[in-house]
Amino acid sequence: MSVTVYIPREATALSLGAQSVARAVTEEAARRSLTVRVVRTGSRGAFWLEPLLEVQTAAGRIAYGPVQATDVPGLFGADFLAGGQHSLRLGPIESIPYLNNQERLTCGRLGVIDPLSLDDYRAHGGYEGLKAALPMEPAAIVKAVTDSGLRGRGGAAFPTGIKWKTVHDAPGSQKYIVCNADEGDSGTFSDRLLMEGDPFCLIEGMTIAGIAVGATKGFLYIRSEYPHAIEVFGRALKIARDENMLGSGVAGSAYDFDIEIRVGAGAYVCGEETALLDSLEGKRGQVRAKPPLPAHNGAFGQPTVVNNVISLASVPVILADGADAYRDVGFGRSRGTMPIQLAGNVKYRGLFETGFGLTLGEIVDDIGGGTASGRPVRAVQVGGPLGAYFPRSYFDTPFDYEAFAAKNGLIGHAGVTVFDDTVDMARMARFAMEFCSIESCGKCTPCRIGSTRGVEVIDKIVRGERRAENLKLLEELCETMRFGSLCALGGFVPFPVTSALTHFPEDFGGAPIAAAAE
Ligand SMILES: Cc1cc2nc3c(=O)[nH]c(=O)nc-3n(C[C@H](O)[C@H](O)[C@H](O)COP(=O)(O)O)c2cc1C
Ligand code: SF4
């Protein structure tokens, strides 16, 4: 009798030895003349348990982890194929609280299915969204997405349905769907996990988007640092084409839709939608002034939807279960779920998808388990390199776009990066400016020049050089960058800088500047 063992082939698990574990399981089974079917999955996103191995038993999937290749003979010795006792046994996969406490509307298949099996995808609800969408009028699909309350998960939180309606209504014989898979924010990886673990979900979401707005062509713009995602997604595209789920007459319908992968070189600014479009067209990635919006004049001058991976991957479940079911989850104007990514100095690193509304404290202390170092949490940066640093006194802030904005913060792509009490916040403020100076596309002066001046001024403040004057200068510089920059790279970098100054003035050797205080 054959036993099925599931082992991730996702990049984090691979970096922790998943490939050797898979090889060791196959070799040990052969040595013992046992028939084992190894299925390579994506990751469920509980990184501290990777490589996480699961075995299919009569009692469901039993988990073991983190497993190293050297553990494998012992696991066979403990009869793990029947769910046997072993020091690495975690029990039924559903009994792991970190996984069980999530509400996975978008990422439910991660780590569960074989990412490259259409049968597996369909057996777990795949293509139900497209099935529901095909008989609908395109405008009704757009309305369903609007009604769901879905807002862009890439950072700006713009209502997805409204963007789609603009493209739907725009005149043009050729329209495009561009999926933004640049995922440049520090501490974020949900796009990558989704593409590696459930690529058909993104293909389905892009296909529905294409049908809804009248686009026959989609592009996945992905950074070159994601080789595994590029490979898995490319293979999934071929399978989908072979099975008539892409190409002319998608799934036997009258709609044509296909997707091409474009690999970027990995500049942070190429995640900004207009710089992305330049890069996608083969030019140097530089921000374009808006208007015109990409929805009117996007890729190759045509009406274009630019959406983040998670935004598009949330569409199938919205169509399959209905807009109301999605909208019923969430908090305030932040509807649905968000795949939160816990990173930095945190005990339980990984992906945690949940409805909006948990407090930051619940996310960091309860779900994340506090710091990995065991020291007190001092600061948390939410929303990538342009996000504000929040102190513990802000831990009652609900995870909600408006609540974070009200405290001069942002949720962005939902990266939550934790720092313990050894962090030097002046260094972090300097880093924000330095990052901006390196990644600036150079189009506008406040960002191109201001970020370099920002590094210099922070250095002077920390050295105690004419401190009061330089604090004032930094304040004015931040204001100029905030209101004078063409895009959010230069425009938002003041947030980490001023939040560090406001909440952690002692690291700068004195009291906060007035304008930074709330
Ligand atoms: C500097 C900068 C970097 C960005 N990087 C990304 C990124 O890596 N991924 C992403 O989806 N959106 C990124 N965005 C936001 C995009 O410009 C755009 O709002 C988004 O792709 C729209 O998709 P959504 O509505 O589904 O979020 C970035 C914006 C800026 C200003
Ligand atoms: S703010 Fe920076 S990245 Fe954005 S357009 Fe200006 S120079 Fe380019």
Side-chain angles (χ1 to χ4, degrees):
M1 198 187 74
S2 169
V3 179
T4 304
V5 175
Y6 299 90
I7 305 172
R9 62 154 154 230
E10 170 274 338
T12 310
L14 289 176
S15 73
L16 294 165
Q19 194 62 22
S20 317
V21 172
R23 201 177 310 118
V25 168
T26 308
E27 286 171 3
E28 192 64 24
R31 223 182 331 271
R32 293 172 185 250
S33 306
L34 296 168
T35 317
V36 170
R37 186 174 76 106
V38 174
V39 174
R40 304 305 297 275
T41 61
S43 170
R44 290 185 186 259
F47 287 158
W48 73 99
L49 297 176
E50 295 290 5
L52 180 70
L53 178 155
E54 293 170 44
V55 59
Q56 185 71 57
T57 72
R61 274 157 84 155
I62 306 295
Y64 296 82
V67 177
Q68 288 301 304
T70 46
D71 300 319
V72 170
L75 284 167
F76 274 88
D79 201 13
F80 88 109
L81 292 180
Q85 209 42 257
H86 187 277
S87 57
L88 296 176
R89 189 180 191 274
L90 301 163
I93 191 78
E94 309 81 37
S95 70
I96 299 171
Y98 185 90
L99 297 174
N100 197 32
N101 292 336
Q102 302 194 32
E103 186 160 19
R104 289 207 163 184
L105 297 185
T106 305
C107 302
R109 282 177 292 261
L110 297 191
V112 177
I113 63 164
D114 173 351
L116 292 174
S117 162
L118 256 183
D119 289 344
D120 223 0
Y121 181 61
R122 287 201 173 100
H124 290 83
Y127 278 120
E128 288 297 321
L130 182 67
K131 201 166 129 192
L134 280 177
M136 293 165 72
E137 286 296 322
I141 304 175
V142 173
K143 183 171 182 310
V145 173
T146 308
D147 291 347
S148 75
L150 177 69
R151 290 163 75 181
R153 304 300 193 224
F158 188 81
T160 306
I162 293 179
K163 186 181 286 184
W164 286 21
K165 185 169 182 335
T166 312
V167 178
H168 172 275
D169 294 349
S173 53
Q174 177 67 62
K175 300 178 185 178
Y176 295 108
I177 306 297
V178 172
C179 176
N180 187 342
D182 195 55
E183 196 158 56
D185 278 2
S186 40
T188 64
F189 41 80
S190 60
D191 295 353
R192 181 178 63 72
L193 285 194
L194 193 289
M195 290 184 286
E196 291 184 24
D198 196 10
F200 292 121
C201 178
L202 181 55
I203 292 173
E204 183 181 352
M206 291 178 71
T207 306
I208 295 170
I211 292 169
V213 306
T216 52
K217 173 105 199 215
F219 291 98
L220 178 87
Y221 182 89
I222 185 167
R223 57 176 48 225
S224 59
E225 287 100 324
Y226 278 3
H228 299 97
I230 293 167
E231 194 220 323
V232 172
F233 198 79
R235 287 172 65 186
L237 284 183
K238 181 168 180 336
I239 294 167
R241 269 183 218 122
D242 290 347
E243 296 287 326
N244 196 30
M245 298 311 289
L246 282 177
S248 53
V250 171
S253 72
Y255 295 108
D256 300 342
F257 189 72
D258 211 335
I259 300 171
E260 192 181 312
I261 300 178
R262 293 273 165 114
V263 180
Y268 184 69
V269 77
C270 286
E272 193 280 334
E273 57 185 3
T274 61
L276 181 154
L277 292 172
D278 266 11
S279 172
L280 186 137
E281 292 172 10
K283 303 172 195 149
R284 173 183 156 195
Q286 247 196 338
V287 174
R288 303 176 184 170
K290 289 190 266 193
L293 295 170
H296 291 126
N297 190 330
F300 309 103
Q302 303 302 322
T304 303
V305 167
V306 182
N307 269 144
N308 172 255
V309 171
I310 298 298
S311 313
L312 288 162
S314 300
V315 167
V317 75
I318 291 170
L319 270 296
D321 294 353
D324 290 350
Y326 192 81
R327 196 185 186 96
D328 282 351
V329 182
F331 181 95
R333 287 179 48 221
S334 308
R335 308 314 307 168
T337 58
M338 188 64 151
I340 294 169
Q341 300 126 90
L342 283 154
N345 189 346
V346 65
K347 194 169 174 192
Y348 301 125
R349 257 173 242 158
L351 178 111
F352 193 96
E353 182 180 349
T354 181
F356 286 92
L358 290 180
T359 65
L360 183 59
E362 284 169 325
I363 292 166
V364 172
D365 290 336
D366 303 345
I367 296 165
T371 62
S373 63
R375 300 183 67 92
V377 175
R378 184 160 185 239
V380 180
Q381 188 179 34
V382 179
L386 310 176
Y389 288 99
F390 276 12
R392 278 207 82 94
S393 58
Y394 276 24
F395 269 24
D396 58 351
T397 313
F399 210 74
D400 159 57
Y401 294 116
E402 278 64 39
F404 266 66
K407 291 187 175 168
N408 286 330
L410 57 103
I411 281 184
H413 190 46
V416 174
T417 306
V418 180
F419 298 83
D420 76 10
D421 61 349
T422 60
V423 67
D424 177 346
M425 294 307 295
R427 271 189 66 196
M428 300 318 292
R430 183 189 195 279
F431 171 72
M433 284 292 190
E434 190 186 19
F435 176 81
C436 184
S437 71
I438 293 166
E439 296 293 337
S440 169
C441 84
K443 186 124 176 182
C444 63
T445 316
C447 167
R448 187 182 70 246
I449 306 290
S451 51
T452 299
R453 293 290 93 89
V455 172
E456 295 164 0
V457 174
I458 293 172
D459 280 345
K460 285 180 186 164
I461 293 168
V462 170
R463 283 201 300 266
E465 247 175 67
R466 292 186 296 134
R467 196 171 173 281
E469 277 166 63
N470 279 312
L471 277 170
K472 181 91 185 99
L473 196 58
L474 184 59
E475 175 196 337
E476 286 170 8
L477 179 63
C478 282
E479 201 173 296
T480 306
M481 290 180 75
R482 195 167 159 196
F483 297 105
S485 295
L486 187 58
C487 87
L489 178 44
F492 282 19
V493 87
F495 287 115
V497 175
T498 53
S499 60
L501 264 166
T502 305
H503 304 301
F504 310 95
E506 59 278 18
D507 288 15
F508 296 79
I513 51 176
E518 287 151 279

